[in-house]
Amino acid sequence: MDSGASFHQSHFGMVSTMHILNSGEIISSLAEYQKVEERFSWVDRSYIVSKILQLKKLTDDTKKSVIVIYEEGHLIKEFVNVEHAFKPLAFC
């Protein structure tokens, strides 16, 4: 039985997080992060999760968005719809 209704599945874009140490080293894997996790204890994880969910809706199919968390200055920056090869500046 066809009701004639069509459903459009919402696409959610790719969002990743990167942590940058005071030295400028970029931490992008879970294994690397676990070694330095205590240095980012100031980060509110629920805030990051809400940002990931928000950015997924704003990110195009062919791009990605990145949340960059800088140890120095305790800064969090968002980069929306960047190329997959995007690397943030090590120092802000």
Side-chain angles (χ1 to χ4, degrees), residues 70-90:
Y70 293 90
E71 180 183 18
E72 185 169 325
H74 293 189
L75 294 174
I76 299 173
K77 294 188 175 187
E78 301 168 18
F79 298 89
V80 182
N81 282 325
V82 295
E83 298 297 325
H84 284 275
F86 170 81
K87 294 288 184 207
L89 293 176

Side-chain angles (χ1 to χ4, degrees), residues 21-65:
L21 302 179
N22 286 338
S23 65
E25 181 182 354
I26 297 174
I27 305 297
S28 55
S29 76
L30 179 59
E32 291 173 326
Y33 172 72
Q34 288 174 330
K35 294 175 187 174
V36 297
E37 185 174 3
E38 74 283 348
R39 294 165 76 170
F40 293 94
S41 62
W42 55 271
V43 177
D44 179 356
R45 291 180 184 203
S46 62
Y47 171 79
I48 298 300
V49 170
S50 70
K51 279 297 178 187
I52 289 170
L53 295 173
Q54 179 186 20
L55 291 176
K56 279 182 172 282
K57 296 176 186 174
L58 300 174
T59 305
D60 296 340
D61 293 353
T62 59
K63 304 281 185 168
K64 73 175 185 176
S65 291

